[in-house]
Amino acid sequence: MEGPIATWYAKNTRKNLADYKADAKKIAGLVAEGASILEVAPGPGFTAIELAKLGRYQITGLDISTTFVDIARANAKEARVDIDFQHGDVAQMPFADDSFDFIYCRAAFKNFAAPVEALNEMYRVLKPGGKASIVDLRGDVSMEAINHHVNEMGVSGINKLMTKWAFKFMLVKQAYTQDQFMEFVAKSKFGKCEILPDEIGVDVRLEK
């Protein structure tokens, strides 16, 4: 996303800070104090910012959208937290081998043009023993589950209609099934994974 669409997305998703706080607490429960953490495709940066408030971590965000990088930097400055938001492609990350203890990617993996290459890059920049969590929509999710999820998001009016439209006609069509995730991981340097499903998505856990 770039330009006005990215700005609309950032404004709309800011209303879901409770979800970002929950994500941040989950990540904090998986890493040690002082851990180096990379969030791939952080968008407006809300999860990374909430995580920075919870402990002394070295947090980096990498997004292919220059608009999102600008928004995330501004949000971090406003929140008075130190996060290194950078512009870049997950398939060719500008980081050295063995750089991070943990990688987090939410609601973006379905957009990657080369999923296996993206996984291999995550593997490369993880430290030995490092872990990753990829959270995304399931390609086989029902519209009933989607409608329930959107109704719980707290959006209303035109934003609610637009969000449901986006899920139905864009996001679900791009999303991968659990079997596809397992196939991608099997072809990558990770080789194996653990998949934790929820109402509309999956949490793919990986370890180097």
Side-chain angles (χ1 to χ4, degrees):
M1 297 183 191
E2 292 285 2
I5 295 177
T7 302
W8 169 83
Y9 179 89
K11 182 179 180 180
N12 198 46
T13 54
R14 184 183 284 272
K15 301 173 185 177
N16 304 322
L17 280 182
D19 292 338
Y20 295 110
K21 289 180 179 180
D23 284 352
K25 287 183 179 179
K26 181 181 75 173
I27 296 169
L30 297 172
V31 300
E33 186 78 6
S36 53
I37 300 169
L38 169 65
E39 184 176 6
V40 173
F46 298 132
T47 297
I49 289 168
E50 293 304 320
L51 179 61
K53 295 176 182 178
L54 296 179
R56 298 174 62 184
Y57 307 111
Q58 301 172 47
I59 305 174
T60 302
L62 182 74
D63 207 293
I64 200 166
S65 165
T66 55
T67 304
F68 274 148
V69 172
D70 290 341
I71 291 173
R73 287 173 177 170
N75 287 338
K77 183 178 181 180
E78 180 183 350
R80 297 183 178 180
V81 294
D82 184 18
I83 300 172
D84 180 19
F85 287 111
Q86 298 188 31
H87 175 257
D89 187 345
V90 66
Q92 294 180 316
M93 290 197 272
F95 308 118
D97 297 355
D98 308 333
S99 293
F100 301 99
D101 296 298
F102 189 82
I103 295 176
Y104 186 67
C105 177
R106 181 180 182 89
F109 194 85
K110 61 182 169 294
N111 301 320
F112 298 160
V116 176
E117 286 81 352
L119 287 169
N120 285 337
E121 272 293 270
M122 291 181 190
Y123 184 93
R124 181 183 67 79
V125 303
L126 273 177
K127 296 177 182 179
K131 298 180 180 181
S133 171
I134 299 173
V135 178
D136 214 325
L137 188 66
R138 291 201 319 270
D140 56 356
V141 66
S142 69
M143 283 312 303
E144 181 181 3
I146 290 296
N147 288 334
H148 179 263
H149 176 75
V150 175
N151 290 339
E152 293 294 311
M153 286 176 62
V155 294
S156 59
I158 188 64
N159 283 331
K160 186 174 183 178
L161 292 175
M162 288 179 66
T163 302
K164 287 186 176 181
W165 182 91
F167 268 108
K168 183 176 181 179
F169 295 104
M170 296 173 58
L171 302 180
V172 174
K173 290 183 177 180
Q174 292 176 300
Y176 299 117
T177 65
Q178 293 186 59
D179 287 344
Q180 287 176 309
F181 269 112
M182 293 183 69
E183 181 181 348
F184 295 146
V185 173
K187 291 179 179 178
S188 76
K189 293 180 179 179
F190 284 106
K192 60 182 180 179
C193 65
E194 178 185 13
I195 296 184
L196 308 175
D198 62 21
E199 181 185 26
I200 66 168
V202 290
D203 183 351
V204 182
R205 299 286 179 92
L206 303 155
E207 183 172 354
K208 182 171 180 179

